[in-house]
Structure formats: structure tokens, C-alpha cells
Amino acid sequence: MKLMLIVFFILLFLVLIFLFPFKTRFMCHVNVFDMKGFYSIKIWRFNFICGKIYSNPDGKIKSENSIGVINKEYDKNFVKLLAINFAKRLDVHKVEIFFTGGFKENSYSSAVLCGSVSSMVQSLYSYLTQKYDYVRLYENIVPTFNENNLELTFDIVLSISIFKIFVSIIKSNIANNKFKERKNEG
């Protein structure tokens, strides 16, 4: 009897891990004038992808990451389908946006820039509250009048379950195979 209870609770635990969503965090910081940025994707408390984006002297945008996942070659159509399927199944819980921007000699442009960014953030928040139930938004938009500065930092907390990830991968794979079959026929 004890063995059956242990097996039952182990199976129940595995099913719950499989079905209940876990939180994922996407963080990014971009400095437009210096042409560099940093990004991080965390799953639970583990860094999944972490790296930086910068512009080299030739003007090309380069990315360096700690794991090397992004540098590998992938089927672009499959990645596009997978991103669309993931986006359909994600739940947004929290959005934090910090913006610092302005121009040194032009306070009018600095104020208009910060007002425009605030308007875009509020429009995004309105859309997210219509689509998701319990979204929280934290924003901090600060104009700078004494230096040229355009910096954006955001932190988004998302949740998805392992079951939804598997469903997204399977649907994307099926759609990608159908696309390849149509491409080979034509």
C-alpha cells in the first residue's frame, strides 16, 4: 500500500510539473548612442542565454553570448513558426520599462521624446491588459537635459508550461514539414 501511494504521488508530482506554468524572465538594456546592449533570458533562476550586442567599427551589428546558442545555424522557417507558436501560448505577468533619454542642447526635443515613449508604453500596457488577465506594469521614464542619452531597459516576466512548449514544438514541426512539402512540389 505504501508503495502505491509513493508511486501515485511521484506520478502526480510529474504531471503537475508538466502542466503547471513556470516563470521565465527576459531582460534587455540598450544604449542607442553607444550602439551596445545586453540581454538575458532566465528560466527559473538559471541563465539560459546571456550576452551583449554591439556595433563594430565597420558598422555591422555583432552579438556575443555566453552559451553560443544563437550562433548556430537553424532552419529559419521553423524558428519563425516556433516563435509564433510560443507567443500564442505565453502569459505575460509583469513588464518593467525604464527609459532615460534626452538631448544636450534641446530640452523641447527631450520632453517630446519622453512623452512619446510614455505614450507608447501606455498603449502597450493597454494592449497587454486586454489580452492577459493579471499584467502589472512598472515604468520609469526620465528626461535628461544635460547630456545626449537614449537608454532603454526592460524586464518581462512570462509564464509557460512544459506541456505548452511541447505542443508549440510539435505544431511548428508539422507546419514546417508541410511548408517543405509544398516547396518541393512547386
Side-chain angles (χ1 to χ4, degrees), residues 20 25-26 90 112:
F20 280 103
R25 199 169 199 161
F26 176 66
L90 287 174
V112 168

Side-chain angles (χ1 to χ4, degrees), residues 5-165:
L5 281 174
I6 291 172
V7 169
F8 172 75
F9 283 118
I10 289 174
L11 289 175
L12 181 66
F13 179 72
L14 292 175
V15 167
L16 291 177
I17 287 176
F18 190 68
L19 292 178
F20 280 103
F22 59 90
K23 291 191 177 179
T24 305
R25 199 169 199 161
F26 176 66
M27 296 172 277
C28 185
H29 174 79
V30 178
N31 187 331
V32 176
F33 284 129
D34 291 341
M35 293 300 293
K36 63 180 158 182
F38 304 94
Y39 58 90
S40 173
I41 297 175
K42 288 184 176 181
I43 297 175
W44 283 302
R45 299 213 181 260
F46 304 107
N47 275 340
F48 183 64
I49 297 174
C50 186
K52 67 179 182 175
I53 300 170
Y54 61 93
S55 176
N56 64 5
D58 299 338
K60 294 182 180 177
I61 295 177
K62 298 279 186 176
S63 72
E64 293 178 3
N65 54 61
S66 60
I67 301 173
V69 173
I70 295 176
N71 294 335
K72 297 178 182 175
E73 290 294 322
Y74 295 105
D75 183 2
K76 292 180 182 178
N77 188 49
F78 175 74
V79 171
K80 183 176 95 174
L81 291 169
L82 187 61
I84 290 170
N85 280 319
F86 272 169
K88 289 179 183 176
R89 288 169 178 75
L90 287 174
D91 287 329
V92 178
H93 287 280
K94 182 173 70 169
V95 179
E96 293 179 3
I97 297 176
F98 304 98
F99 178 79
T100 305
F103 304 103
K104 189 173 188 176
E105 300 285 329
N106 196 342
S107 61
Y108 173 77
S109 295
S110 299
V112 168
L113 174 71
C114 288
S116 300
V117 170
S118 179
S119 175
M120 286 187 282
V121 168
Q122 291 301 320
S123 297
L124 173 70
Y125 180 64
S126 174
Y127 171 76
L128 290 174
T129 55
Q130 293 296 317
K131 187 165 171 109
Y132 305 107
D133 291 330
Y134 303 105
V135 177
R136 294 185 318 237
L137 172 74
Y138 301 103
E139 70 172 308
N140 188 10
I141 298 174
V142 179
T144 57
F145 301 110
N146 56 354
E147 63 180 320
N148 290 332
N149 189 6
L150 285 175
E151 292 187 25
L152 174 69
T153 303
F154 60 89
D155 181 6
I156 301 173
V157 177
L158 309 165
S159 71
I160 191 168
S161 68
I162 295 174
F163 176 73
K164 289 180 181 179
I165 291 172

